Amino acid sequence: SLLLIEAATQQAPPLASVAKHLPASICAVVDRSLAFKKEERYPDAPTMRFDVNAIRTGKEPPYIAAIASGKIKPGERRSSR
């Protein structure tokens, strides 16, 4: 179907563009997990889970923050958690 072809060939729109009421940290985690290019996604499930747990406890997601500050590049694993 056309929807499957679009999903396989196009980047999803940023979550904030369709859910303006959500906090930026949630949008950043979802957008990173849905990144079209594999190297821009989370490197593994534990890294994403760490960010999700940080948000659940009211903290900034550390992986997203490390990328934003230039400490690591998207897709890289953090050396310590």
Side-chain angles (χ1 to χ4, degrees):
S1 91
L2 184 57
L3 183 60
L4 288 175
I5 292 170
E6 286 179 4
T9 59
Q10 297 178 11
Q11 173 67 42
L15 182 58
S17 72
V18 295
K20 297 178 186 340
H21 63 284
L22 290 177
S25 60
I26 292 175
C27 292
V29 169
V30 171
D31 289 345
R32 177 136 327 265
S33 67
L34 295 177
F36 190 73
K37 294 180 181 178
K38 183 179 179 183
E39 60 272 10
E40 293 176 0
R41 294 182 214 139
Y42 280 95
D44 51 41
T47 302
M48 182 178 173
R49 184 175 55 240
F50 199 68
D51 272 6
V52 169
N53 286 337
I55 291 171
R56 291 178 68 208
T57 60
K59 298 176 184 162
E60 182 177 28
Y63 188 75
I64 296 292
I67 290 171
S69 68
K71 291 180 182 177
I72 60 173
K73 294 179 184 173
E76 287 183 353
R77 287 182 170 83
R78 293 191 58 148
S79 59
S80 62
R81 290 197 239 278

